[in-house]
Amino acid sequence: ETGVTQTPRHLVMGMTNKKSLKCEQHLGHNAMYWYKQSAKKPLELMFVYNFKEQTENNSVPSRFSPECPNSSHLFLHLHTLQPEDSALYLCASSQESSGSSEQYFGPGTRLTVT
Amino acid sequence: GQNIDQPTEMTATEGAIVQINCTYQTSGFNGLFWYQQHAGEAPTFLSYNVLDGLEEKGRFSSFLSRSKGYSYLLLKELQMKDSASYLCAVRDSNYQLIWGAGTKLIIKP
């Protein structure tokens, strides 16, 4: 238990569906992240929020839409996804987005797009 | 481009020692992290190096040479529960973490 929770843990959705992933951190951190993890590939950083402000958007397709209503909650809204978007989506938090602070990860949402 | 290289898979015997290497080429350097990830679970933080040398933490040690762009994670007295993937990540000049693909470590009895 790392203090970062994610729901749902598993999600199967069709290409025309709209769904949202939720992340919550109970660590009092100021930075939150969305990562995509595909088999045998490095973690891909998707979005970074620092003090609720988006600071990074690594050329992520617009079918992924993040939302950070406060420093404890992070959402990833999904719509019209493609089969290649099937992956493990990890949320993480850290004290801040720079410096030496390590990131704490949630258990991830295993997404399958059919 | 930025690149982190680590072996895809390694096998070791319970009770033995294993060294997992990581080489990196990044735009700037602001620290190197090692994470452990068991199958189906979240990555968990193991160690952080920003200065050259060895950092020891129980059975695990991590070494850094900034001039060589090289780090290793040393695991001693291996236990079956150490079977996991080990991820190397470097923080670049923009404080962004660049990740390796991970090394899957298989421990045999």
Side-chain angles (χ1 to χ4, degrees):
Chain A
E1 190 63 43
T2 62
V4 181
T5 58
Q6 289 186 244
T7 54
R9 292 294 306 276
H10 300 272
L11 178 62
V12 179
M13 59 186 288
M15 289 190 282
T16 58
N17 291 158
K18 286 185 181 181
K19 296 285 184 184
S20 295
L21 309 185
K22 179 183 175 183
C23 175
E24 184 174 358
Q25 58 97 357
H26 310 273
L27 302 168
H29 289 165
N30 297 308
M32 296 187 77
Y33 312 78
W34 279 118
Y35 285 94
K36 176 184 180 182
Q37 188 174 37
S38 303
K40 299 186 179 178
K41 290 173 118 180
L43 281 172
E44 296 174 48
L45 179 65
M46 300 175 73
F47 301 103
V48 180
Y49 279 83
N50 200 34
F51 293 92
K52 299 189 300 177
E53 297 297 319
Q54 186 174 305
T55 58
E56 295 286 341
N57 173 352
N58 286 359
S59 303
V60 179
S62 59
R63 57 186 184 268
F64 295 92
S65 173
E67 179 190 358
C68 187
N70 55 62
S71 56
S72 298
H73 293 85
L74 187 64
F75 295 89
L76 188 63
H77 304 299
L78 317 171
H79 64 98
T80 58
L81 293 190
Q82 304 297 311
E84 60 264 29
D85 297 323
S86 297
L88 181 68
Y89 288 84
L90 290 164
C91 173
S93 71
S94 66
Q95 189 58 45
E96 55 188 272
S97 61
S98 61
S100 63
S101 55
E102 67 268 27
Q103 295 180 10
Y104 291 78
F105 286 83
T109 295
R110 174 67 62 185
L111 174 66
T112 303
V113 181
T114 60
Chain B
Q2 308 206 85
N3 196 49
I4 309 282
D5 282 316
Q6 45 181 138
T8 304
E9 187 173 298
M10 299 181 71
T11 302
T13 305
E14 191 176 15
I17 299 173
V18 71
Q19 177 175 310
I20 302 174
N21 296 325
C22 171
T23 57
Y24 62 89
Q25 291 174 309
T26 56
S27 56
F29 177 84
N30 280 300
L32 184 144
F33 295 81
W34 284 97
Y35 282 79
Q36 180 190 60
Q37 186 177 23
H38 285 101
E41 297 183 14
T44 54
F45 169 75
L46 285 179
S47 68
Y48 171 72
N49 295 70
V50 67
L51 299 176
D52 290 351
L54 189 68
E55 294 280 342
E56 296 186 77
K57 206 185 269 189
R59 294 189 299 114
F60 292 8
S61 303
S62 56
F63 171 83
L64 175 67
S65 168
R66 288 171 296 170
S67 62
K68 295 181 180 177
Y70 167 70
S71 173
Y72 67 72
L73 181 70
L74 192 72
L75 292 75
K76 302 176 186 175
E77 300 167 18
L78 286 170
Q79 302 175 9
M80 297 303 293
K81 66 178 182 179
D82 297 329
S83 292
S85 287
Y86 291 85
L87 312 179
C88 174
V90 172
R91 203 185 289 281
D92 68 9
S93 56
N94 293 321
Y95 287 93
Q96 189 166 132
L97 269 183
I98 312 300
W99 293 84
T103 298
K104 182 178 180 181
L105 178 63
I106 300 168
I107 309 296
K108 295 186 174 179

